[in-house]
Amino acid sequence: MTEVAREGADTVVADDAGQATADTSGQAVVVAFGQTMKTLRVRAGLEREEFGRRIGYSASTVASYEQGRRIPSPRTIERADEVLDAGGLLTVWKEQVERAQYPVRFQGMATLEKECIELLMYDALIVNGLLQTEEYMRSLLGMRRPPLTPETIDQRVTARLARQDIFDRQPAPLLGFVMTEAVLRHRYGGTGVLRGQLEYLLLIGQKRNVEIQIMPLDCEDNAGVNGPFTIVTRKDGNKFVYSEAHAISSLVADPEQTVLAAARYGIIRSQALSPRESSQFIEKLLGEL
């Protein structure tokens, strides 16, 4: 893993040249947490089955947590700390364990999502992660080369689904999605997976804080030809621009770059179909399946 911070540009660039090392680092946190939980459980004189019953999971799931094969949710960590009367020895791990769910290149962006009041996203390759169904996620992750392990796929799916809590957050952030028609025509995972994904887009698009817009293939102008990107606005008014290309990600806070990105997004939004037209367009695509 390589991280470069450039003063003045306020840019962080992360690549996957050492992704195996990065993933190992995240796994080490999960394993250490699991060992700590096991030590506290044994000290409390609880068998896995009894402990699992008290926190709402099976003995096999508890074993997965203790062996670092599965990442517990923050709520599960809080409950385990309470049941084991750990006095915060487990909850102190929450932030590190939660961060370990994500690829290293995305961890900074994941943190910003939790703090944002506005997210503006343009996608040209796949449906944005915040809008993906579980079946669509698994189809995409199953296509990765080199292949991901089943455990890694489960971990990434769990993390991505957890991010979708943003739709129910209060106060609700403003969420804008613009995607190209091509994104909605790729039948990743098959026709059934795509049908479920399109239906989910229609459902999420009904939320008052969400706008989904489609850029048709026959549109002659598209200011997004440079590729996908996301603009994040925090509560303090600071803006960031996040983008990925192959295995490299960039998180930029430079004011000039964020202003230009916001202006570019505004142009893209004006070139795309309106939210109402986009909903009708998605319904049309569903009818063709």
Side-chain angles (χ1 to χ4, degrees):
M1 165 66 187
T2 301
E3 269 195 13
V4 181
R6 296 203 298 264
E7 291 187 13
D10 291 325
T11 303
V12 175
V13 178
D15 66 47
D16 276 355
Q19 187 63 47
T21 301
D23 286 345
T24 299
S25 176
Q27 183 63 24
V29 169
V30 178
V31 169
F33 168 81
Q35 291 173 343
T36 301
M37 187 167 75
K38 179 180 180 180
T39 299
L40 292 170
R41 175 182 62 78
V42 172
R43 188 185 71 176
L46 293 175
E47 296 295 329
R48 281 176 177 162
E49 185 174 358
E50 175 61 17
F51 176 56
R53 186 186 65 79
R54 294 191 186 185
I55 65 173
Y57 292 97
S58 66
S60 61
T61 297
V62 171
S64 295
Y65 290 152
E66 293 181 348
Q67 295 164 11
R69 292 184 288 107
R70 185 170 175 177
I71 298 178
S73 68
R75 187 173 301 175
T76 298
I77 294 175
E78 291 172 356
R79 179 59 181 156
D81 192 276
E82 179 183 341
V83 168
L84 296 174
D85 194 21
L89 290 177
L90 290 181
T91 55
V92 74
W93 287 89
K94 275 200 310 182
E95 185 175 334
Q96 293 183 66
V97 170
E98 185 176 13
R99 190 162 53 241
Q101 295 182 95
Y102 305 105
V104 172
R105 67 177 181 273
F106 188 74
Q107 289 179 359
M109 181 60 192
T111 299
L112 286 173
E113 278 187 352
K114 291 180 174 298
E115 303 171 350
C116 75
I117 58 172
E118 181 183 64
L119 271 179
L120 303 175
M121 292 146 281
Y122 171 69
D123 293 283
L125 302 174
I126 59 175
V127 173
N128 191 280
L130 290 176
L131 294 172
Q132 293 174 9
T133 64
E134 180 174 347
E135 293 76 14
Y136 188 90
M137 294 176 195
R138 291 189 180 279
S139 296
L140 293 180
L141 292 169
M143 297 176 196
R144 295 287 182 88
R145 295 296 183 273
L148 300 175
T149 65
E151 292 78 14
T152 298
I153 290 177
D154 286 343
Q155 174 184 319
R156 300 275 177 92
V157 168
T158 298
R160 201 168 292 181
L161 289 173
R163 289 171 53 210
Q164 295 182 358
D165 287 347
I166 193 171
F167 292 112
D168 300 315
R169 185 187 306 167
Q170 293 297 329
L174 300 176
L175 305 171
F177 302 87
V178 179
M179 66 192 82
T180 65
E181 176 184 343
V183 168
L184 303 182
R185 287 194 175 276
H186 281 294
R187 301 195 181 193
Y188 297 129
T191 301
V193 171
L194 178 58
R195 180 179 291 109
Q197 181 61 72
L198 294 179
E199 290 173 346
Y200 187 63
L201 291 179
L202 290 175
L203 180 65
I204 293 297
Q206 294 175 13
K207 292 182 176 291
R208 291 188 299 169
N209 64 316
V210 176
E211 287 192 344
I212 296 177
Q213 295 179 251
I214 308 302
M215 181 74 75
L217 289 175
D218 60 7
C219 185
E220 297 182 0
D221 295 303
N222 184 353
V225 291
N226 287 342
F229 64 100
T230 297
I231 303 171
V232 191
T233 304
R234 280 194 321 209
K235 293 179 181 179
D236 59 9
N238 288 331
K239 291 182 181 292
F240 302 81
V241 180
Y242 177 79
S243 61
E244 290 185 1
H246 186 47
I248 300 175
S249 65
S250 174
L251 187 58
V252 180
D254 175 58
E256 180 179 355
Q257 295 302 315
T258 59
V259 167
L260 289 174
R264 185 163 67 252
Y265 187 85
I267 296 172
I268 293 171
R269 174 181 275 171
S270 70
Q271 294 168 333
L273 298 176
S274 70
R276 178 172 296 182
E277 292 170 336
S278 296
S279 179
Q280 294 170 346
F281 190 87
I282 295 173
E283 290 176 345
K284 175 176 175 292
L285 291 180
L286 265 171
E288 296 174 357
L289 293 179

